[in-house]
């Protein structure tokens, strides 16, 4: 990990040398010498992680090198701040073209750089001998890591271990119609044995989905927060609107418990409490769960058998067994030789002997075997396998006998971490800032990695693409688990970290002074940052507000993971955080406007800024000073004022604006002269009102990949679509129509030329055109993979024309169709995987699916389609259907099996 920290400092110095060549003329030699010394240290550090556990002599030296690398980074960032202030904030960070007029600043940086270099040289004299290559680049250089990144087949949970028998057993227990309150079915076993995997398989099973009226899943973990648990279940059960959600969040504890009780008391429900640790937690939660209809169940996963027995003595817990030696070896072969369908038959005797010795030490624990197999999959020679074997057995005999099973697991986890290429180590440790069992959005994570400087700039890949490759490598090594996939079915949408790995992350991050987690006491609002040397802080609040106090001059990242609607972070003085790169500010003010402080413009190193407010937000012009800003995320309810200078920030890549109810406030008015940056990749959402986008604006948006437009004037739709067809990288497009004074017929013909579009969202009333033979949706792009139609209120059946989209995999229909009959013709929707139809199809009472239609459908969700009395008979021909979700439907329909 120290090598990664030194690498970040080297990258920072290289930036300084490139952009400050004129300014550093008097100290350039010293800075270059420091850079060379740090690169020499990288050669020593590249293997230090493995040696640290075997030779304590290295520990202090590595720690000293890491701290000096931090010092070097501080000197550089401090210099940039002084230079920026000196020049009146003009052309800072990226380009410096004038001459620095205060040589005392150069003299100071020269003294500091020389002091750091001297300390590094003194350390090197006392280090054991290490080889130094000519360019200072070790085998773990970023370039070589990029070359090693492979195209991986994703590891699915189903492949981890066979659970057919256990699945049937648990399903039988769940679907036994016991007529008693609080019937609890429990899955019991040690961490990493597959409890959550089994629970998820059962929860998603189509028969279980049919059996229960309501289903909800909530993660508990060691830090159980009863209010959040009950709130999560209630939100999943009710699916409230935004306004309803805000009212529910304001309920006190008694009201909240009663609301969930009332919502479930007439229903047959299944609620999964995943990873519950203490009986006391269930005692607190229990009053929120009624008897419900006959057959209602609670499903536990827990490591503690007593928790299961105390919750329901009438049901015997399902205890998962460890794998046998043969099962363990077969699982290891599937992971260690992923390209071999023959498994162990393609393994030589030498490999097999070593592999069986290692897998035996895993004690039949699936998680340990999978991680070991993924580690061995990266090793090609017998000598490399022998090294893994040696590392796993290191210090094992020193552990007490009762600790050896988890001791081996820990050794495997540490070995897998140590084996990571150094650019991936900070990416992995960074996951520790999320709370336990947190579902991590991929896009957010990669934006944070980029803001932290973990993702290098290369000519071969964009930083977003390289960040995705880094995440795929962590997944392939089973250090990160896929939670949900995106609309293509292959790309990751969200991920999570197993709690054993998170424990390792947290421990390593603290040891490396990389990141500290502050758990806010439930009775306190104030959080005082007592340690002034910390560089990254993640605050896990349990209350609605966090008042931050204390000086923190070296802080780079202030992270507040959590539900935006529940928490607020208040910072009184931004100047206390001058080096800050990442900041999230959520404001729960009682005023109608939030004037964001002008001091935010002093955070010149800021790369990621997320602001949220319940009312109207007004950003200050000083935000134009944030020349390093890469991601700007704004969430508001009643409007936002964004200065024109935002669109001139050349480093800015992602602008996401999430608005409230008023149509005129859902985006920002787009004027062509505003946009000067060519680097914007995400722009959501802008209002086209006064005049359409001209060709020059489109030409400047050549890198745009995701775009959202709100049309206040429908007459501008066609000319804008013609221009959008020229954007070769545009893959995701959202169009919203709000012009009520204009005929609502939309000419979507230019969309057919948007060949690169794979994701499309149309929102607003759509009527048939003058030619009834041409459906208004006829011209949708042929390559669409995900389509969302919302509030369209069409009177012509859209399924015939949509069924011809041969690449369509996900279809959402929300208040889309107002007629009584809908037909899916034979051979239509050849690749459709998921269909969701919710609300607004009140007239629909006949739905026909011809044989051969939707031949690949796996998931069907219907909600609030109240007039539909029977499911289409043609569903019996859809043999691929695995999951059906029916909510707020007629009772006669829901009674079907």
């Amino acid at each position: 990990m120290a090598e990664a920290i030194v690498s970040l400092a080297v990258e920072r110095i290289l930036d300084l040398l490139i952009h400050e060549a004129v300014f550093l003329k008097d100290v350039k030699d010293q800075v270059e010498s420091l850079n060379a010394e740090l690169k020499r240290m990288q050669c020593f550090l590249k293997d230090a992680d493995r040696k640290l556990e075997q030779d304590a002599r290295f520990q202090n030296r590595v720690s000293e090198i890491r701290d000096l690398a931090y010092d070097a980074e501080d000197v550089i960032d401090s210099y940039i701040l002084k230079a920026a202030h000196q020049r009146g904030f003009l052309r800072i960070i990226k380009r410096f073209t004038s001459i620095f007029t205060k040589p005392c600043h150069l003299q100071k940086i020269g003294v500091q750089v020389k002091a750091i270099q001297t300390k590094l040289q003194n350390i090197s004299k006392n280090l054991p001998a290490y080889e130094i290559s000519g360019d200072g680049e070790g085998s773990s250089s970023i370039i070589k890591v990029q070359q090693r990144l492979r195209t991986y087949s994703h590891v699915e949970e189903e492949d981890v271990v066979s659970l057919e028998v256990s699945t049937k057993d648990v399903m039988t227990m769940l679907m036994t119609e016991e007529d008693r309150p609080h019937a609890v079915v429990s899955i019991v076993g040690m961490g990493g044995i597959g409890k959550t995997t089994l629970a998820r398989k059962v929860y998603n099973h189509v028969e279980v989905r049919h059996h229960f009226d309501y289903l909800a899943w909530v993660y508990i973990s060691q830090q159980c927060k009863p209010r959040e648990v009950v709130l999560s279940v209630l939100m999943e059960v009710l699916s409230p609107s935004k306004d309803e959600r805000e009212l529910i969040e304001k309920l006190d504890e008694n009201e909240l418990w009663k609301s969930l009780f009332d919502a479930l008391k007439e229903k047959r429900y299944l609620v999964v409490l995943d990873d519950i640790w203490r009986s006391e937690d269930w005692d607190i939660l229990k009053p929120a769960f009624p008897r419900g209809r006959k057959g209602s169940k609670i499903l536990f996963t827990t490591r503690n058998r007593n928790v299961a027995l105390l919750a329901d003595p009438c049901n015997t817990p399902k205890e998962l067994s460890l794998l046998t030696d043969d099962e363990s070896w077969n699982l290891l072969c599937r992971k260690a030789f992923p390209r071999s369908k023959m498994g162990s038959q393609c393994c030589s005797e030498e490999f097999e002997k070593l592999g069986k010795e290692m897998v035996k030490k895993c004690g039949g624990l699936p998680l340990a075997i999978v991680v070991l197999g993924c580690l061995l999959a990266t090793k090609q020679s017998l000598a490399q396998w022998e090294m893994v074997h040696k590392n796993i057995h290191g210090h094992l005999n020193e552990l007490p006998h009762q600790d050896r099973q988890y001791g081996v697991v820990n050794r495997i986890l540490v070995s897998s971490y140590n084996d990571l290429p150094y650019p991936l180590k900070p990416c992995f440790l960074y996951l520790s800032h999320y709370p336990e069992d947190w579902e991590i959005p991929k896009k957010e994570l990669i934006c944070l990695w980029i803001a932290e400087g973990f993702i290098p700039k290369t000519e071969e890949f964009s930083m977003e693409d390289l960040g995705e490759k880094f995440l795929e490598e962590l997944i392939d090594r089973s250090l990160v688990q896929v939670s949900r996939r995106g609309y293509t079915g292959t790309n990751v949408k969200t991920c999570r970290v197993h709690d054993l790995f998170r424990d390792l992350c947290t421990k390593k991050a603290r040891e490396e002074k990389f990141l500290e987690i502050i758990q806010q006491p439930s009775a306190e609002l104030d959080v005082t940052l007592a340690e002034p040397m910390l560089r990254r802080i993640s605050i896990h609040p349990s209350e609605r507000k966090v008042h931050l106090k204390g000086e923190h001059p070296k802080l780079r990242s202030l992270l507040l993971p959590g539900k935006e609607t529940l928490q607020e972070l208040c910072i009184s003085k931004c100047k206390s955080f001058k080096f800050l790169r990442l900041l999230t500010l959520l404001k729960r003010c009682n005023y109608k406007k939030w004037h964001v402080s002008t001091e935010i413009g002093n955070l010149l190193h800021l790369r990621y800024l997320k602001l949220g407010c319940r009312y109207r937000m007004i950003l200050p012009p000083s935000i134009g000073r944030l020349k390093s800003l890469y991601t700007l995320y704004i969430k508001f309810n009643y409007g936002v004022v964004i200065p024109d200078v935002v669109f001139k920030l050349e480093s800015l890549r992602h602008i996401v604006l999430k608005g409230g109810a008023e149509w005129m406030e859902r985006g920002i008015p787009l004027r062509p002269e505003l946009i000067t940056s060519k680097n914007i990749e995400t722009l959501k959402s802008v209002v086209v009102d006064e005049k359409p986008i001209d060709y020059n604006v489109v030409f400047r948006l050549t890198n745009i990949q995701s775009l959202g437009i709100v049309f206040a004037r429908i007459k501008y739709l066609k000319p804008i679509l013609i221009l959008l067809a020229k954007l070769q990288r545009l893959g995701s497009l959202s169009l919203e129509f709000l012009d009520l004074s204009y005929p609502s017929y939309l000419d979507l013909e230019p969309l057919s030329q948007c060949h690169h579009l794979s994701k499309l969202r149309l929102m607003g009333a759509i009527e048939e055109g003058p030619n009834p033979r041409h459906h208004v949706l006829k011209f949708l792009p042929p390559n669409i993979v995900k389509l969302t139609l919302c509030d369209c209120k069409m009177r012509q059946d859209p399924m015939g024309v949509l069924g011809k989209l041969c690449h369509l995999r996900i279809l959402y229909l929300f208040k889309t169709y107002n007629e009584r009959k809908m037909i899916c013709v034979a051979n239509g929707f050849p690749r459709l995987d998921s269909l969701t139809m919710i609300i607004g199809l009140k007239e629909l009472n006949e739905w026909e699916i011809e044989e051969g239609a939707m031949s690949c459908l796996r998931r069907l969700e219907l909600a609030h389609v109240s007039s539909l009395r029977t499911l289409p008979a043609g569903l019996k021909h859809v043999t691929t259907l695995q999951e059906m979700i029916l909510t707020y439907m007629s009772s006669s329909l829901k009674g079907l099996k």
Side-chain angles (χ1 to χ4, degrees), residues 659-690:
E662 299 296 328
W663 71 263
M664 65 187 67
E665 308 290 7
R666 286 182 182 172
I668 55 172
L670 180 62
R671 300 198 304 275
E673 65 273 13
L674 289 183
I675 300 177
T676 59
S677 174
K678 298 181 180 181
N679 298 317
I680 296 175
E681 297 178 6
T682 303
L683 181 58
K684 299 179 180 178
S685 292
V686 293
V687 173
V688 175
D689 189 0
E690 298 176 1

Side-chain angles (χ1 to χ4, degrees), residues 473-490:
E473 170 119 347
L474 293 174
I475 291 170
D476 188 70
R477 291 169 178 260
S478 288
L479 301 179
V480 174
Q481 300 171 340
V482 177
S483 183
R484 286 189 293 154
R485 297 200 180 277
Y487 62 91
T488 63
T490 55

Side-chain angles (χ1 to χ4, degrees), residues 783-810:
N783 292 323
I784 289 296
V785 176
K786 180 179 180 181
L787 176 64
T788 300
L789 300 177
C790 182
D791 287 322
C792 297
K793 302 174 183 176
M794 291 180 290
R795 306 192 66 85
Q796 190 175 351
D797 185 358
M799 304 307 270
V801 66
L802 296 181
K804 296 178 182 179
L805 296 173
C806 59
H807 296 285
L808 187 65
R809 294 190 57 177
I810 298 178

Side-chain angles (χ1 to χ4, degrees), residues 837-890:
M837 300 195 300
I838 53 177
I839 307 179
L841 295 98
K842 295 180 180 179
E843 302 298 322
L844 183 67
N845 59 19
E846 184 180 353
W847 180 19
E848 181 180 342
I849 298 179
E850 297 180 356
E851 186 173 355
M854 301 185 182
S855 57
C856 295
L857 189 69
R858 293 194 305 168
R859 182 182 184 277
L860 173 63
E861 180 177 0
L862 303 176
H864 296 275
V865 190
S866 54
S867 296
L868 191 65
R869 293 289 181 261
T870 60
L871 290 172
L875 276 178
K876 65 184 180 183
H877 301 299
V878 184
T879 58
T880 55
L881 191 63
Q882 297 178 6
E883 182 180 359
M884 184 184 296
I885 303 173
L886 307 174
T887 53
Y888 296 105
M889 306 291 287
S890 67

